[in-house]
Amino acid sequence: MSRVHSLAYLTSHRCTPPEAIRVAAATGYQYVGLRLWPNAPGAPQQFLIGQPAVLKETQAAMADTGVGIFDVEIIRIGESFDPHTWDPLYDACAALKAKAILVAGDDPDEVRLTQNYARLCEVMAPYGLTADLEFMPWTAVKDARSALRIVQNAGTPANAGILVDALHFGRSTTTLDDIRAIPRGLLHYAQICDAVAGTHFSTEEMIHTARCERLLPGDGSIDVRGLFDALPADLPVSVEVVNFEREKTADPLQWAATCLAASLPFTSHR
């Protein structure tokens, strides 16, 4: 049984959606992840929603290569959350046959956040999409225990999910036992990268690393091997390594290949 690998948006952030698919196909990935909705107003994204020509080109690239869309980013659950804000994103996911949408929790009121997560799952269900809640130490969902509590208090909807990112595992209070405690049915994919581990970083430092300066697996001090040994052996892996400095000397195809090669020793069965 071998894992499938997906080329994450942050690894291929220089590519349009059809370019990312062709890069993935050329370098050994089975899927790609796309950021079709920015993580903040005006922040970087890939443009496809409302652009029929780009959608058609993306679908053609998928048909040509056999590479699929795994996850799409991003929905943030804030204090004034309305799940229908993202209706165009759900429609795009359906057109691309995507599997999951990445969800971040920003509302400090956990009861309201939990209620809104349940609403989101309900709205997304007809599209066949999972709502994968990613814990990040600078958000309202700081660790794996928080994510599991929210999902369970939401009633564990059939399309609920928890996304484990190696970076946030290594920079939160999450333990390997916490990872093992996540029910298999809530795990749809995990993200791999590396960095200096620890809980002493400021919010600004954590965000900078996450968005600009991740390390290749094995180049930092996060227990990447322990993490992927604790996760299910057949769990798909999203390779998410953005490093602006390293990318200056590697084109998107070279970078995608480098990131996959560095990930395989940790994700392949031993």
Side-chain angles (χ1 to χ4, degrees):
M1 186 188 306
S2 60
R3 296 186 197 263
V4 298
H5 293 82
S6 180
L7 177 63
Y9 160 73
L10 279 176
T11 310
S12 60
H13 63 93
R14 294 175 284 178
C15 298
T16 65
E19 287 170 350
I21 289 165
R22 297 194 185 282
V23 165
T27 50
Y29 296 83
Q30 292 76 43
Y31 290 94
V32 301
L34 301 176
R35 181 171 290 174
L36 302 184
W37 201 283
N39 60 10
Q45 69 177 102
Q46 292 161 312
F47 293 94
L48 179 144
I49 294 173
Q51 300 195 15
V54 179
L55 173 60
K56 187 175 180 180
E57 187 183 353
T58 303
Q59 291 170 323
M62 293 169 64
D64 289 346
T65 62
V67 170
I69 308 300
F70 201 98
D71 67 305
V72 173
E73 303 179 18
I74 180 175
I75 292 176
R76 308 197 76 103
I77 302 179
E79 297 176 21
S80 56
F81 180 75
D82 176 358
H84 291 292
T85 299
W86 286 270
D87 284 351
L89 184 65
Y90 313 144
D91 289 336
C93 287
L96 295 168
K97 298 182 172 60
K99 299 176 180 294
I101 295 182
L102 190 155
V103 181
D106 293 332
D107 189 348
D109 182 336
E110 188 170 301
V111 172
R112 184 172 57 203
L113 172 58
T114 301
Q115 292 170 341
N116 282 326
Y117 177 75
R119 289 175 64 209
L120 175 63
C121 287
E122 183 179 1
V123 170
M124 286 174 55
Y127 296 88
L129 293 160
T130 58
D132 292 81
L133 182 62
E134 182 176 14
F135 63 88
M136 309 179 215
W138 66 86
T139 67
V141 187
K142 298 185 181 304
D143 52 35
R145 293 183 301 280
S146 302
L148 183 57
R149 182 174 64 246
I150 289 166
V151 167
Q152 290 178 333
N153 287 342
T156 316
N159 61 334
I162 294 174
L163 175 57
V164 178
D165 181 332
L167 176 63
H168 307 320
F169 161 72
R171 291 195 167 185
S172 71
T173 57
T174 301
T175 66
L176 289 175
D177 283 341
D178 295 333
I179 298 298
R180 296 186 191 101
I182 301 172
R184 177 64 182 90
L186 292 176
L187 293 167
H188 304 115
Y189 68 115
Q191 295 172 325
I192 191 168
C193 68
D194 210 338
V196 176
T199 57
H200 58 286
F201 297 98
S202 68
T203 294
E204 292 73 21
E205 289 170 331
M206 289 190 290
I207 291 174
H208 174 78
T209 299
R211 297 178 181 173
C212 310
E213 203 172 24
R214 295 174 184 238
L215 300 179
L216 295 168
D219 284 358
S221 55
I222 294 172
D223 184 9
V224 180
R225 182 166 306 287
L227 174 62
F228 281 86
D229 284 349
L231 288 165
D234 60 345
L235 192 68
V237 177
S238 173
V239 178
E240 188 178 47
V241 190
V242 58
N243 189 299
F244 290 165
E245 195 61 33
R246 290 283 305 270
E247 290 173 50
K248 288 178 181 177
T249 56
D251 66 30
L253 194 145
Q254 292 168 327
W255 185 242
T258 296
C259 294
L260 181 59
S263 300
L264 287 174
F266 297 92
T267 64
S268 300
H269 296 296
R270 292 176 292 152

